[in-house]
Amino acid sequence: MPPTGPQSVDRALAILDAVADAPGPLGAKALARRLECSLSTAYHLLAPLTERGYLLRTPRGYELGPRIPGLHRSLLRHLEPAPRMADLLARLRRSTGAEAYHTAYRGGLITVVDTTAPVTDAAHPFAPGRETRAHATAHGKALLAELPRPLRRRYLAEHGMARLTGATITSAELLEAELARVRGQGFAVSVGEADPAYTCLAVALPRGRDGNHDGDAVHALSVSLPTEEFRRRPREIRTALARAAADCGRDRPGDPPGDRPGPFSDAAGNTV
């Protein structure tokens, strides 16, 4: 990504990204090579990041510091659509046996805010952070279906519609038809569209009646699990997800309750 601000700020953020993405601690020399800067410049940038707790210096190199978990907690607090969202995700995980996710659209970005999937579990295809595959995921489609068409078009123009599997929708016209189906049935489903082995099921959460599309975040609950497992008990999983969304709605004064789900279709028109 090309720099968009002062070089020192961009490099400091690049250091954080590099340390976060690394499998282990990184030394100052390794960071200087990645940033293509001098070692003295690297140390100059590392000093305030370490002092403020964003990084921790260890004998093996630099690691993320104690300030980082606090940033994530703040993000959860700022984006929490209802009280005890983490408890709701945990209950959804227990009732379905599938990993549960809270995803949000805000300011032109879609973010996987929180999940029950362990951070060490690399098998599940959806991890907290920026989501760039909204056209291929159930949570992405549930959120896009809630947006006015100009915002939806802007999002897709900025993020594209990459083909991830043979089932991925890459046509804007076909995606619009899919999103219309999502709005009609109240659920979104992705069967092998983002990952060939996984099915994702999502529902947009109720929005406040005084909300507006530009200022307020749009939220979704979703679950993901291997497709073979989903096909053995689709109604059980759909019902549990609808109940969780209704529970979230009851925690928000003025929001309508959820309804028991009926049958619905995937992108290929199959009833699931």
Side-chain angles (χ1 to χ4, degrees), residues 22-261:
L26 285 178
K29 290 182 179 179
L31 288 167
R33 286 194 296 271
R34 293 196 182 198
L35 269 64
E36 298 181 347
C37 67
S38 67
L39 183 60
S40 62
T41 297
Y43 277 121
H44 178 73
L45 296 168
L46 287 164
L49 290 172
T50 304
E51 182 178 350
R52 290 174 175 266
Y54 294 98
L55 293 179
L56 180 69
R57 187 175 185 179
T58 73
R60 298 174 56 211
Y62 289 89
E63 301 178 340
L64 293 179
R67 180 73 180 102
I68 301 301
L71 291 178
H72 186 238
R73 285 194 298 271
S74 295
L75 174 67
L76 297 180
R77 186 177 67 253
H78 292 168
L79 279 178
E80 188 175 58
R84 303 178 300 280
M85 192 66 182
D87 292 342
L88 182 67
L89 291 178
R91 293 199 304 272
L92 183 57
R93 171 68 175 83
R94 289 193 296 270
S95 64
T96 61
E99 299 300 349
Y101 303 83
H102 165 211
T103 311
Y105 169 92
R106 183 180 65 164
L109 298 177
I110 290 178
T111 304
V112 179
V113 181
D114 200 9
T115 176
T116 59
V119 295
T120 55
D121 186 354
H124 281 81
F126 311 114
R130 185 171 178 174
E131 177 62 273
T132 60
R133 307 160 298 171
H135 64 294
T137 65
H139 50 259
K141 289 190 282 187
L143 294 171
L144 290 174
E146 292 291 304
L147 298 180
R149 191 163 185 165
L151 288 185
R152 188 161 61 244
R153 284 181 169 178
R154 185 188 309 166
Y155 178 89
L156 294 172
E158 292 176 354
H159 293 85
M161 298 175 61
R163 180 172 295 281
L164 305 173
T165 74
T168 306
I169 298 174
T170 58
S171 160
E173 182 179 354
L174 291 179
L175 182 62
E176 283 296 329
E178 168 74 352
L179 298 181
R181 181 163 45 243
V182 170
R183 287 189 290 272
Q185 65 193 11
F187 282 83
V189 63
S190 166
V191 181
E193 295 176 53
D195 185 291
Y198 277 82
T199 286
C200 180
L201 186 69
V203 57
L205 296 179
R207 303 184 66 185
R209 293 178 181 174
D210 59 347
N212 62 78
H213 287 284
D214 291 325
D216 292 349
V218 185
H219 301 268
L221 276 181
S222 63
V223 292
S224 71
L225 68 168
T227 296
E228 291 303 314
E229 183 179 346
F230 172 77
R231 292 198 183 282
R232 287 195 294 268
R233 49 194 183 92
R235 183 171 295 277
E236 173 191 339
I237 293 170
R238 295 199 309 265
T239 301
L241 183 59
R243 185 177 298 118
D247 288 345
C248 185
R250 280 192 287 270
D251 283 336
R252 301 176 66 185
D255 281 340
D259 297 322
R260 184 178 179 84

